[in-house]
Amino acid sequence: MKKTTLILICFVVSLTLSACGSKRACANSNEPVVNPIMPVYYTGGVQHVWLTDYLPALSTDDTPVIEAMPGYKVSNFARLEFDLQGNNTLSTLSVETADHTRYDIAILPDLPFKTGLLTTGCTERTITFSLPAEGYDVQAYLDNQLLGPDMLEIEGTTGTLHIPDCPEGRSFIRLYAANAQSRLNDVLIPMQDGKVVTDAAQLTINDDQTQVLYSLMIDRFYNGNTANDEPLNDPEVLPIVDYQGGDLAGITEKINSGFFEDLGITTIWISPITQNPTDAWGRYPFKNGNKYDPSKTYTKFSGYHGYWPIYNNKVDHRFGTGDELRAMLDAAHAHGLHVVLDYVANHLHINSPVIQQHPEWITDSILPDGRRNFELWDEARLTTWFDVHIPSLNLEIPEVCEAMTDTALFWLENYPFDGFRHDACKHIPEGYWRMLGHKIATRFPERHIWMIGETYGSPDLIGMYVKTGMLNAQFDFNEYYGIRESVIDSKFPMSELERIVRESMAAYGAHHTMGNISGNHDQVRIASLAGGAIRADEDGKEAGWTRMVGIGDANVAYRKAMLQEVINFTIPGVPCIYQGDEYGEVGANDPDNRLMMRFDRLNEQEQQMRSEVQKLIRMRRTSMPLLYGDMQTENLTEDEWTYTRTYMGKKVRVTINRKDLTYTIEN
Ligand SMILES: [Ca+2]
Ligand SMILES: [Ca+2]
């Protein structure tokens, strides 16, 4: 079987060399990009594998032929599930589907991760690369085909890959390497019509690694239509947690005014749009008075944030209509922007007719030992409730899982969304993501859908969902906290942040599209934290309610906040700006971090930070090393970290000094 495969590859190769030099018509720059299948991370022993995590379009009617080689064996194959066991080396899982298409999926050994596999140059026919030492086994893939060993020449620590015949348009070459002691960073090379992409201008928004995300909360972004304003005006709801008028029409207006392009954004993540309650819920007790209304001792909340869905297939009328949603998406596409929708599958509001008709669809709010099952994030990860009025759905029940994946698809079916940001992923079982991945792959095979999830936890837990058949990415909260604790708080030396960044590359791939966030609607504003206006160890919600949290030491705040942006934009991953962070907006935790977005009236330092971020975005979007370069640490001291990104021999060198609050980016 192996020999046959190799002969087949050699045949393809000989076709290549004649086809490679020929001129081809320029491919449509907007044609969909098909990402190659993510590798299997072997974890040792007997590992249970769901084949649909790698080939999500397969159904249980398909009976693919699979083979792992060399050194691994596949057993107990049934219903697209099997056990993988082997000798922990770099290998390949080959899958041949009923239509005789073969997919080769890399199996990466469970060995310490090292960087040092770098591309050093390319011609029309070859790609050269360097290894950190002799004796590494190297494998090359063109999309999902393992290339024959005759395509690779390795001498000592340098290697040459003969470029095979590539499909027209975008394809990807990947390199993997390992020896008995370690595995190296993977290399990802985008190809255009069979040639190495060396100019970022050849890339499109469908190249996921090029994205720059902007996260906005609809109610707090811009009010484009005052006719739909409908604050609760309930004496028990303070204005900061009431509807403030932002809507879909406001986003459209800002798209059309060029706001996002001017900043350099490619992808807008909008907060949930589903119908939320028209009355007030929850209760927040104040301990030490209240800066908004001292006569109150508590407040209820409105559903301004959108995370309390009542109807999952209806646009909240306070945000606009279905037509206004379509107009917003059309405007975004006309301006070359993508839009991903925040979708909530974990829970519904208690007044949702779905829950009233199916009370058995929710999880038990009482644990077997009699305790209340609220906010037990890790102990009762999949069943816990976020609050008394938003019961957690039991997505282990197939009927519930079907219904909630179908409503997610409703939005793709009826509106040209480009992907999802999935809420509370950590609290949703894997089966949900498998079902969603399968439905998207089979119903919308022609659409480029990018999905990013929210999970707080270890790289193992986060990575469990980052698979071809589930989510493309998640937010890298470990990287976010790593920056807070090293650069912002100086609690740990810079080496701790470097370790976290390497750990992310090891866990999700060296060219992952994990979200490098500046903050989000749940976190204290980074500028306020950086300036010392709020401390990391204080109750950020209470601080927000009880005092005006400003910038603190402005000379430190903006410079430290800028260091965070520089790191987010120059390490692997997709940078993600939370609205206002681009100019150093201030605030404590929610709702103080959800103040209405300011488009003007920025002070001088805010304007300066905004234009510095804008320059940084331009630099990233035009730099192949920053988009696809392989990362290596060059120098590390207590306070300073220097790292490089190398692509085809071109290097960008970044130095972050947290003591002097300076950075340099050298081309
Ligand atoms: Ca409005
Ligand atoms: Ca749950």
Side-chain angles (χ1 to χ4, degrees), residues 49-53 55-65 77-82 97-98 402 434-435 438-439 442:
V49 177
W50 281 261
L51 192 53
T52 51
D53 289 354
L55 292 160
L58 290 183
S59 82
T60 45
D61 297 335
D62 292 311
T63 49
V65 178
F77 185 82
R79 291 177 296 109
L80 304 178
E81 293 176 32
F82 58 93
T97 52
E402 286 283 359
R434 289 204 172 95
M435 189 183 281
H438 175 71
K439 286 184 178 179
T442 50

Side-chain angles (χ1 to χ4, degrees), residues 362-365 373-375 383-388 390-392:
I362 63 176
T363 63
D364 214 329
S365 62
N373 186 6
F374 292 106
E375 300 191 1
T383 62
T384 205
W385 292 25
F386 279 61
D387 210 336
V388 289
I390 42 174
S392 203

Side-chain angles (χ1 to χ4, degrees), residues 346 382-383 392-393 427:
N346 177 67
L382 298 173
T383 62
S392 203
L393 288 163
H427 306 290

